[in-house]
Amino acid sequence: MITTLRCADKTLDLTRPVVMGVLNVTPDSFSDGGRFLAAEAAVAHGLRLIEEGASIIDIGGESTRPGAAPVEPDEEIRRVLPVVERLRKAAPHVVISVDTSKPEVIREAVGAGVGLLNDVRAFQEPGALEAAAASGCALCLMHMQGDPRTMQDAPSYVDVVKEVKAFLDARAQACRLAGIPPERLLIDPGFGFGKTLEHNRELLRDLRMLAAGELPVLVGLSRKSFVGKLTGRPATERLQGSVAMAVIAALNGARVVRAHDVAATVDALRIVSWVEGS
Ligand code: 9MG
């Protein structure tokens, strides 16, 4: 397995699992005092996540939750870019990621110095792969069935693990053909993106089927609705369930865990590394 991820001007050591902290800059996240104060509050939160041990900060300006409405590229850029620029200045050692599918946003984010591009659509939008290939950034290729507006209506697979793996293999191959080397790729089964509770269970249980390959695996399980279904808890009270999921994923080979509750997840992954002797 590749254990050094190339993220533009930085590299990330993945011999042990690391945490990607979630920094949403959608209007429901930091909107109290207008755009400038919202960006300042977002940067302060990002710096807190870094202090707690996040190796990557993933900044997102468009919600990908089930039912979420799309956002125009200009508006997404207005939300994301000031936060990327300020965080990059304040924490130049940290890998900054932008969660987007749009080539316009990719180009602006690359210009502002991000090291990772996280796309829930695996760079299938017209122009997205070309924009990503032209950067030196790492790419996270995620599987999703359908799109965020309708993906949870009726997810259906014959064999979810095989189908997710085949999709990710095909996207990795498309990246290689576009000139992106494997040292710049992460793959992600996309927990909760067009998956039932049973599909998520099979993917988590059989994560090794993905992690046994060449490319490192990223997982996003934090506060997701299936954690709520299993624990009976609202999104703000899903820390324990999310950390339990993160530990199972890391024991099954995940190298990057996307999380809201960074301190608790970093502690839990330290225990996993200790057990694994890494
Ligand atoms: C943006 N986003 C929300 N959930 C995610 C997940 O599970 N993986 C990745 N890569 N991105 C996600």
Side-chain angles (χ1 to χ4, degrees), residues 58 64 99 118 120 140 142 188 190-191 193 218-221 224 258:
D58 189 37
T64 52
D99 143 30
N118 174 29
V120 299
C140 178
M142 199 197 80
D188 179 347
F191 287 101
F193 284 84
L218 180 151
V219 293
L221 296 150
K224 291 220 167 145
R258 188 176 182 276

Side-chain angles (χ1 to χ4, degrees), residues 211-226:
E214 181 188 29
L215 302 179
V217 170
L218 180 151
V219 293
L221 296 150
S222 179
R223 299 187 186 176
K224 291 220 167 145
S225 67
F226 62 93

Side-chain angles (χ1 to χ4, degrees), residues 200-276:
N200 290 317
R201 188 178 76 86
E202 285 179 41
L203 284 165
L204 189 57
R205 191 195 55 200
D206 294 343
L207 199 65
R208 276 275 166 218
M209 301 267 283
L210 298 181
E214 181 188 29
L215 302 179
V217 170
L218 180 151
V219 293
L221 296 150
S222 179
R223 299 187 186 176
K224 291 220 167 145
S225 67
F226 62 93
V227 179
K229 264 190 203 152
L230 293 169
T231 58
R233 306 258 179 209
T236 52
E237 294 171 22
R238 294 181 191 157
L239 183 148
Q240 292 89 338
S242 302
V243 169
M245 296 266 181
V247 167
I248 297 168
L251 285 171
N252 285 344
R255 294 294 94 175
V256 183
V257 175
R258 188 176 182 276
H260 299 82
D261 301 292
V262 168
T265 311
V266 166
D267 279 1
L269 295 185
R270 282 205 180 117
I271 309 289
V272 172
S273 297
W274 172 73
V275 167
E276 289 182 334

Side-chain angles (χ1 to χ4, degrees), residues 39-256:
E40 290 295 296
V43 172
H45 187 64
L47 291 174
R48 204 156 42 243
L49 300 182
I50 292 166
E51 252 172 52
E52 290 178 6
S55 302
I56 308 166
I57 300 293
D58 189 37
I59 303 172
E62 177 180 62
S63 176
T64 52
R65 283 201 201 111
V71 173
E72 288 301 314
D74 283 357
E75 175 58 18
E76 200 178 318
I77 290 167
R78 273 194 291 274
R79 291 178 188 177
V80 161
L81 217 65
V83 181
V84 172
E85 285 165 348
R86 283 173 226 189
L87 206 53
R88 172 123 169 109
K89 256 194 208 138
H93 59 290
V94 169
V95 174
I96 298 175
S97 160
V98 163
D99 143 30
T100 189
S101 301
K102 301 184 182 79
E104 300 91 332
V105 182
I106 291 174
R107 279 190 288 273
E108 293 287 335
V110 169
V114 301
L116 200 156
L117 300 161
N118 174 29
D119 185 4
V120 299
R121 295 176 183 81
F123 303 89
Q124 293 180 100
E125 292 294 301
L129 188 56
E130 291 76 7
S135 74
C137 293
L139 277 60
C140 178
L141 311 172
M142 199 197 80
H143 175 273
M144 166 164 59
Q145 188 178 83
D147 69 74
R149 264 173 306 180
T150 56
M151 64 190 179
Q152 289 308 109
D153 291 353
S156 154
Y157 303 84
V158 175
D159 182 329
V160 66
V161 178
K162 267 197 194 150
E163 287 170 50
V164 166
K165 185 173 181 318
F167 171 83
L168 294 172
D169 286 348
R171 293 312 297 154
Q173 180 61 10
C175 287
R176 280 167 212 191
L177 291 175
I180 302 164
E183 292 76 17
R184 280 173 54 199
L185 298 178
L186 290 164
I187 52 170
D188 179 347
F191 287 101
F193 284 84
K195 281 98 186 173
T196 63
L197 190 60
E198 177 57 18
H199 296 142
N200 290 317
R201 188 178 76 86
E202 285 179 41
L203 284 165
L204 189 57
R205 191 195 55 200
D206 294 343
L207 199 65
R208 276 275 166 218
M209 301 267 283
L210 298 181
E214 181 188 29
L215 302 179
V217 170
L218 180 151
V219 293
L221 296 150
S222 179
R223 299 187 186 176
K224 291 220 167 145
S225 67
F226 62 93
V227 179
K229 264 190 203 152
L230 293 169
T231 58
R233 306 258 179 209
T236 52
E237 294 171 22
R238 294 181 191 157
L239 183 148
Q240 292 89 338
S242 302
V243 169
M245 296 266 181
V247 167
I248 297 168
L251 285 171
N252 285 344
R255 294 294 94 175
V256 183

